[in-house]
């Protein structure tokens, strides 16, 4: 429950900040061009019964704007006079046009008002990335330093990769760290460079691998190889009950030899699949009872009658009943424990262009991956509020919070500029049409388009949040 609340608080704080600044961008340009802003709200305030839906509202003396907080935390809005928006205020549009209304302003001014929110979100993301680099620097583990190499799935091995290969780069450039960018480069590359048995060599790739398939595969296309060597054991766990200890190495699970922690987790995944067929508690216990072959350093006498002994690796077979969620209760070293992280520090002036470059790369990667949304697997990968909230760390970490906030700001900017009616991009599309043809779309058309766009957004929101529910229930 505590983890849920921490993530919820981070999610609400990030979304609240981004929505306020997004709407503030519209507000700034509207005021700059003398357009009246009637309402400025964080969250929506649909009326309920006789209540107007406002948790808080305030209108300064002499101001045309009412500020408030609504009860429905799905975003926010800036109600601009003389504009057809999500408020669907058609009565105002029937009145004579006023000089302080949106519709009376030149098209270029209306265009700036509409892109104001997207512009603020994009600039905010670049600013946050720059300040992250300035304050924390850029810390990562270089892929070339992962001397234990990688584990590959069968699809990757069919392309010529071998377990233990150290990835170096592709024809698109050298790899930096192990991230989604590495997968993205491999999916688009026609050549991959690796170090195998101490020698650098190149593999030919098709250049059009399915990125989503690479990420969703079980096991995934490539993972850093992690030894199946125990680093610590949880108290009162199955591992503690059978006497596992630091330094022990697991070399087989249920009679199947394994060479890494990666393969250990793969075998646990096989058990998870088997658990779906368990009907009775006895069925579950039978599946959860696992045979482990453990290798540890021990002492072996030099001879039958000798007191001398030598150190050697000995093996022992142990039977352990895993927890109902198939946990053994031990930890292995993290990547940071296996390899020393590298940190590049930035001065204030250095951080600005570096932050801009970082943010632009994030945006380019996100835009490039959008093509997968229109596939069956891509639609299943859509996530709602639950999926977004789960991206925040389970403990409060300002570095991860600001990094996630910047990423969400990039997403908010991009999603809002899509040419969908009811989004900023839809209004921008109609304004560009007006600037080219010198004709305004009719108010009837704009109202109908707003309804269509609003319906599309509601449908997308339902699909994304339904996916969250199905994942939580275990159906996806």
């Amino acid at each position: 429950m505590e983890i849920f609340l921490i993530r919820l608080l981070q999610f609400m704080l990030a979304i609240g900040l981004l929505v306020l600044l997004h709407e503030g961008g519209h507000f700034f340009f509207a005021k700059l061009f003398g357009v009246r802003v009637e309402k400025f709200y964080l969250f929506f305030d649909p009326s309920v019964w006789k209540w107007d839906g406002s948790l808080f509202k305030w209108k300064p003396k002499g101001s045309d704007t009412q500020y408030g907080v609504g009860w429905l935390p799905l975003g926010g809005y800036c109600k601009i006079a003389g504009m057809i928006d999500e408020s669907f205020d058609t009565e105002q549009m029937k009145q004579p046009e006023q000089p302080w209304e949106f519709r009376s302003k030149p098209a270029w001014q209306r265009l700036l008002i509409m892109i104001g929110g997207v512009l603020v979100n994009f600039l905010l993301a670049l600013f946050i990335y720059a300040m992250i680099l300035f304050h924390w620097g850029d810390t990562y583990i270089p892929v070339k330093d992962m001397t234990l190499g990688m584990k590959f799935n069968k699809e990757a091995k069919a392309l010529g990769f071998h377990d233990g290969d150290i990835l170096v780069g592709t024809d698109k450039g050298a790899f930096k760290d192990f991230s989604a960018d590495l997968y993205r480069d491999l999916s688009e590359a026609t050549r991959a460079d690796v170090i195998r048995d101490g020698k650098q060599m190149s593999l030919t790739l098709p250049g059009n691998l399915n990125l989503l398939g690479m990420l969703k595969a079980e096991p995934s296309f490539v993972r850093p190889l992690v030894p199946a060597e125990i680093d610590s054991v949880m108290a009162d766990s199955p591992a503690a009950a059978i006497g596992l200890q630091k330094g022990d190495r697991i070399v087989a699970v249920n009679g199947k030899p394994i060479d890494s922690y990666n393969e250990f987790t793969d075998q646990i995944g096989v058990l998870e699949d088997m658990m779906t067929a368990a009907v009775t508690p006895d069925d579950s216990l039978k599946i959860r009872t696992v045979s482990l072959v453990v290798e540890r350093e021990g002492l072996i006498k030099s001879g039958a009658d000798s007191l001398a002994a030598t150190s050697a690796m000995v093996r022992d077979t142990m039977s352990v009943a895993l927890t109902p969620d198939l946990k053994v209760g031990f930890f292995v070293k993290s990547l940071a424990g296996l390899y020393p992280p590298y940190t590049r520090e930035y001065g204030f002036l250095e951080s600005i262009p570096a932050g801009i470059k970082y943010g632009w790369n994030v945006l380019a990667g996100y835009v490039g991956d959008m093509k997968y949304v229109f596939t069956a697997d891509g639609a299943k990968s859509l996530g709602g509020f639950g999926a977004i909230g789960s991206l925040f760390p389970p403990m409060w970490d300002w570095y991860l919070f600001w990094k996630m906030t910047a990423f969400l700001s990039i997403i908010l900017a991009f999603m809002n500029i899509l040419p969908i009616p009811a989004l900023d991009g839809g209004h921008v599309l109609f304004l560009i049409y007006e600037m080219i043809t010198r004709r305004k779309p009719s108010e009837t058309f704009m109202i109908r388009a707003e309804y269509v766009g609003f319906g599309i957004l509601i449908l997308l929101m339902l699909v994304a949040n339904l996916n969250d529910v199905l994942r939580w229930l275990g159906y996806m």
Side-chain angles (χ1 to χ4, degrees), residues 294-305:
V294 179
E295 189 175 72
R296 69 170 51 147
E297 187 172 334
L299 296 177
I300 300 178
K301 290 183 178 181
S302 299
D305 299 321

Side-chain angles (χ1 to χ4, degrees), residues 395-408:
M395 295 181 292
W396 197 280
D397 184 314
W398 282 112
Y399 168 77
L400 295 176
F401 169 80
W402 285 117
K403 198 170 184 180
M404 189 62 206
T405 300
F407 179 61
L408 290 178

Side-chain angles (χ1 to χ4, degrees), residues 88-102:
F88 298 107
D89 187 0
T90 56
E91 291 302 316
Q92 185 182 69
M93 304 303 292
K94 296 176 182 178
Q95 306 302 317
E97 187 176 292
Q98 301 296 327
W100 37 262
E101 287 186 328
F102 176 83

Side-chain angles (χ1 to χ4, degrees), residues 194-231:
V194 302
I195 295 176
R196 181 180 299 169
D197 299 326
K199 299 179 181 179
Q200 183 162 325
M201 59 180 296
S202 297
L203 305 174
T204 300
L205 298 180
N208 60 349
L209 295 174
N210 185 301
L211 175 61
L212 190 61
M214 294 168 69
L215 291 167
K216 288 174 67 68
E218 291 291 344
S220 56
F221 187 86
V222 57
R223 300 163 289 171
L225 190 151
V226 177
E229 182 175 317
I230 296 171
D231 187 54

